[in-house]
Amino acid sequence: MISFTFNGVELKGQSGQSVSAALLVNKERINRYARFSGAPRGLFCGIGVCFDCMLIINGQPNLRGCLTEIQPGMIVEVQNDH
Amino acid sequence: MIISHQIIVIGGGPAGLNAAKYAANAGADVGLIDSGLRLGGQYWRHTGNAEVDESMHHNFDQGSLLMDAVNANPRIEVYLESQIWSASVINNMIILRTKDQTFQTQRLIIATGAYDRSLPFPGWDIPGVMTAGAAQALLKGNGVIAGQSVVVAGTGPFLLPVAAGISSHGGNVVGVLEAAKRLSWAPKISVLIQNPSKILEGIGYIKSLRKSKVEMRFGQAVVAAHADEDGLLESVTVANIDKDFHVKSTYLLKCDVAAISWGFTPDTSLAGSLGLKQGVRNDGSVIIEVDKDQRCTHSHSEVEIYAAGESTGVGGSDLALAEGAIAGLATAHSEKSSSQLRKLRHRAQKFADVLLQVYPVAAGWKSWLTPQTLICRCEEVTYQKVREACEELNARSARDVKFMTRCGMGMCQGRICTRNVSDLFDSEDHDRILATYRPIITPITLGELAQEGLL
């Protein structure tokens, strides 16, 4: 198991899992808040096409959770575009 | 440093893998570029853990043999985690850029595949609504079941492996909703029966669903999604629909995931940037046009560009494998006969054409929209804004709407909504928005551009 944090809370995931998958296992479904409406968004296409699962990972925004593998100690944050 | 290969293949799914294999076996030096962490594409997406992968796939053996053959071939160099953000022809050379590398070649095979076709409906942006492909990628690539209670909906044979995969791995599938009528395939049985392996595969999924007591309902569709107080999916409105997709009656179904797929959309983005001729298929999908050798039409002299697999028209893995093999031989200028492969391609193409007829998407989905329904998820453009563009700003085509509302100009660059915007304007002459030249095909940071010395 790998430990990472989401919004400051320590979570665990399996090695080889994507950030989005590891978050879903931990019942975290919201990856970002939309720019104009502020409505929550989560994983949608799951294969890197739609960009709805963008998160802040180790300080870098706009990274797709579905394409990024979790790493030990990774700092993941919800992305508020609103 | 620029990496050169005699032939470059883009995409490591069934078509790209077979193209690379056939081209290399014909003596060519091949570079195979894929954006994923592992070869296989969406169809053979896997975790890398052999035991898990065997249990997730209907025919992983075929994929794993092909991936092993490609990896072991000294004439093939594989580049993973390499998403191409720029493709152009400069001085009779095809130049491809990824974040880390620049590639050049005079012979290119595009095998970029397809992704789920999504239709808009009220609430389709709520977390928990996802494509069936997303649920499948979670399972096959991550060993994760998408939710606690999953609705699988849309149309087409792909719904079956998604639902069967989730339920056979312990997930709770609360319903499989197929928009087509029960036995919609019966009139086409004479063509379908020529592909017995596909029929058996389908029967296997249906048996597996029965064993898990999953109910399959026909002539039904998810037409609205509803969020709880935290903004997460808690239920969907399911409609009994007629053959035009108009709603006859509805009921509510509780679920935390709705995995929905309306078939697939070919990924043609590279065709736009390389100036390849595109076409429109009967189902309204934009495809890369190819000739009998899988060769594309373009105005560049000195370079050869081929395409194979779903980007030339969605047709499944058998068709993709045959097209990939033909493209591989043609690109390598092989003398080897491809008549057997052409027969395979013809049979798979007929099967694919029939599936499109059996699982159509009718225009009545537009009646599911409300003024507040998002059409473009990225730019949050509502159906009302699209209508205002038509009625008040005199938009007369899908392209007009795009320019007036920013539909299709967000982060996904129109991959999700463009087909729907075109459908909203579908006219007899099939005026569609085609993939156009984009200097940047997928988003890249200014910092990354600067590092390349391009700023």
Side-chain angles (χ1 to χ4, degrees), chain B residues 142-424:
Chain B
N142 299 276
V144 169
I145 291 166
Q148 309 299 307
S149 48
V150 183
V151 169
V152 179
T155 195
F158 181 55
L159 304 186
L160 295 174
V162 174
I166 293 171
S167 62
S168 65
H169 287 87
N172 177 26
V173 177
V174 293
V176 182
L177 316 175
E178 165 59 60
K181 299 291 176 213
R182 190 187 297 270
L183 302 180
S184 63
W185 46 268
K188 306 289 180 190
I189 191 71
S190 61
V191 175
L192 297 176
I193 207 78
Q194 290 169 29
N195 294 265
S197 67
K198 289 283 154 200
I199 305 273
L200 288 174
E201 187 182 340
I203 291 171
Y205 297 136
I206 290 166
K207 276 188 176 162
S208 159
L209 289 170
R210 287 221 179 111
K211 201 171 142 199
S212 315
K213 298 199 166 30
V214 173
E215 202 188 336
M216 201 161 169
R217 301 174 204 172
F218 295 86
Q220 296 194 0
V222 169
V223 296
H226 313 286
D228 64 14
E229 58 199 15
D230 297 324
L232 305 176
L233 185 68
E234 68 169 6
S235 64
V236 291
T237 299
V238 179
N240 287 293
I241 54 173
D242 63 18
K243 68 171 179 21
D244 299 321
F245 278 31
H246 286 112
V247 174
K248 293 192 291 186
S249 59
T250 63
Y251 64 93
L252 209 61
L253 189 58
K254 281 207 170 305
C255 59
D256 65 352
V257 166
I260 305 174
S261 170
W262 294 101
F264 297 92
T265 293
D267 185 344
T268 56
S269 37
L270 285 169
S273 287
L274 291 168
L276 310 180
K277 188 172 182 215
Q278 298 162 62
V280 180
R281 218 172 165 198
N282 284 342
D283 67 342
S285 59
V286 174
I287 57 171
I288 304 177
E289 279 199 355
V290 289
D291 70 6
K292 61 182 179 26
D293 293 323
Q294 302 294 133
R295 188 195 283 255
C296 305
T297 303
H298 55 83
S299 60
H300 311 293
S301 53
E302 310 292 323
V303 305
E304 296 173 44
I305 304 177
Y306 295 74
E310 308 294 60
S311 58
T312 66
V314 170
S317 64
D318 289 346
L319 181 59
L321 286 166
E323 291 178 354
I326 292 166
L329 289 177
T331 317
H333 304 162
S334 167
E335 300 292 322
K336 203 176 152 198
S337 162
S338 56
S339 62
Q340 199 58 35
L341 291 166
R342 285 169 205 275
K343 276 184 200 148
L344 277 175
R345 180 178 62 183
H346 179 70
R347 199 177 69 182
Q349 185 67 62
K350 260 173 74 181
F351 186 74
D353 289 343
V354 163
L355 283 186
L356 279 187
Q357 292 166 31
V358 172
Y359 299 104
V361 175
W365 64 263
K366 297 168 204 171
S367 68
W368 309 345
L369 306 175
T370 66
Q372 292 317 310
T373 306
L374 292 183
I375 301 297
C376 172
R377 299 167 64 95
C378 299
E379 293 297 301
E380 299 172 68
V381 180
T382 61
Y383 185 43
Q384 182 172 326
K385 289 266 181 248
V386 172
R387 281 168 50 178
E388 280 170 11
C390 303
E391 288 155 17
E392 292 169 26
L393 300 172
N394 214 21
R396 284 291 170 267
S397 69
R399 288 193 76 78
D400 286 352
V401 168
K402 176 179 168 183
F403 293 131
M404 289 170 181
T405 66
R406 292 195 58 78
C407 246
M409 294 172 125
M411 282 293 268
C412 91
Q413 300 192 291
R415 286 174 174 87
I416 303 296
C417 74
T418 294
R419 189 172 177 180
N420 297 330
V421 175
S422 289
D423 274 345
L424 287 171

Side-chain angles (χ1 to χ4, degrees), chain A residues 17-18 21 24-25 27 29-30 34-37 40-47 49-52 54 64 69, chain B residues 37 42 45 83 118 125 127 129-131 134 138 142 144 146-147 256-257 374 377 379-380 411-412 415 443:
Chain A
Q17 273 175 347
S18 71
L24 282 179
V25 171
K27 300 198 169 29
R29 297 190 165 274
I30 298 173
R35 186 155 39 120
F36 303 117
S37 65
R41 294 284 178 90
L43 183 79
F44 182 69
C45 83
I47 59 171
V49 175
C50 78
F51 288 79
D52 245 333
M54 291 188 301
R64 285 166 286 181
E69 257 186 54
Chain B
L37 294 160
Q42 302 309 330
R45 179 184 278 272
Q83 183 154 42
S118 296
D125 53 323
V129 178
M130 62 180 72
T131 66
L138 282 170
N142 299 276
V144 169
D256 65 352
V257 166
L374 292 183
R377 299 167 64 95
E379 293 297 301
E380 299 172 68
M411 282 293 268
C412 91
R415 286 174 174 87

